[in-house]
Amino acid sequence: MGGKHVLKHSIYNYILFLILLAVVFSFKQWKKLLLLVTSLVLSYFSAIMLVAYGNFIPKIEIIKFLIPAIILSLAFFTFLSFKNILKSKEKYVLSFTILFGFFNGLGSSVDVILNIKRYESEFFPILEATLGVGASVLITVLGLLTVTTLLKKIPKFDKKKWVFVTSAVVSCLSVFFIFKQVFY
């Protein structure tokens, strides 16, 4: 269930967010990426557990607005950090990743909890769904890193232009999804 959630073509938010991570990092920075993926998964798990056991009912309309806003913020931040306007970017990227995972967990908690009500215990199905999300995120990041690595092999490939263009495209898509959420 968690794996399908990330890889659905209709769930644009994971792909856009992971593109922003993959465009900046490389395979040499696998430890940092593993930390980010782990943080995303743990914050996702925490949000679902909060809803399942904390009697917290999220307002889905607000969450559907916040998720593309977080992606837009990371895209803008990625642009600024590659223009060397911001120096220390890792703690900010980690913060965006935790926020993204948490709000995605809140957003999908209703679906996850509805699907697991038939089980005696909610914990293990929630853990399974979360591990599915983690595996899918990891597979997606590895695929995106592979594409980015292959692009870097092209002669005259300019990484700063690639980051700029990718950030701009993701920003435009995020703005579109924010407006779609607000006006529809």
Side-chain angles (χ1 to χ4, degrees):
M1 179 172 54
K4 288 179 184 176
H5 173 70
V6 172
L7 298 176
K8 272 188 195 175
H9 67 280
S10 61
I11 309 264
Y12 64 89
N13 55 12
Y14 277 100
I15 303 303
L16 293 178
F17 188 83
L18 297 175
I19 285 171
L20 289 172
L21 291 182
V23 76
V24 177
F25 290 97
S26 67
F27 281 113
K28 292 177 187 175
Q29 298 167 304
W30 68 270
K31 290 179 184 176
K32 291 178 184 177
L33 273 170
L34 187 59
L35 172 69
L36 291 172
V37 168
T38 303
S39 300
L40 189 146
V41 171
L42 288 175
S43 60
Y44 179 89
F45 179 72
S46 299
I48 292 178
M49 294 298 285
L50 176 67
V51 173
Y53 294 108
N55 295 325
F56 177 75
I57 301 172
K59 296 206 181 285
I60 300 300
E61 300 80 28
I62 295 172
I63 291 168
K64 285 184 178 181
F65 171 80
L66 287 174
I67 291 171
I70 292 168
I71 296 169
L72 177 63
S73 300
L74 180 61
F76 184 68
F77 173 80
T78 301
F79 173 74
L80 290 179
S81 64
F82 258 83
K83 285 290 193 179
N84 292 327
I85 296 169
L86 299 173
K87 299 292 181 197
S88 176
K89 58 186 172 216
E90 284 140 11
K91 63 182 175 183
Y92 296 110
V93 173
L94 180 62
S95 299
F96 285 123
T97 303
I98 290 169
L99 285 171
F100 179 80
F102 187 78
F103 285 113
N104 264 290
L106 289 178
S108 62
S109 63
V110 174
D111 293 334
V112 171
I113 291 170
L114 285 176
N115 285 324
I116 62 171
K117 285 292 183 189
R118 62 180 181 239
Y119 296 101
E120 228 174 88
S121 168
E122 294 176 348
F123 178 77
F124 288 109
I126 290 172
L127 183 62
E128 287 176 1
T130 303
L131 291 175
V133 166
S136 297
V137 165
L138 194 58
I139 290 167
T140 305
V141 166
L142 291 174
L144 292 168
L145 276 176
T146 302
V147 169
T148 302
T149 302
L150 292 173
L151 287 173
K152 289 178 188 174
K153 303 256 186 231
I154 297 173
K156 297 184 181 180
F157 178 79
D158 187 357
K159 185 173 180 174
K160 286 191 177 190
K161 286 181 184 174
W162 173 244
V163 170
F164 175 75
V165 168
T166 304
S167 297
V169 169
V170 170
S171 294
C172 291
L173 289 170
S174 296
V175 168
F176 169 75
F177 289 121
I178 288 170
F179 277 110
K180 183 179 172 186
Q181 184 59 36
V182 170
F183 296 112
Y184 293 109

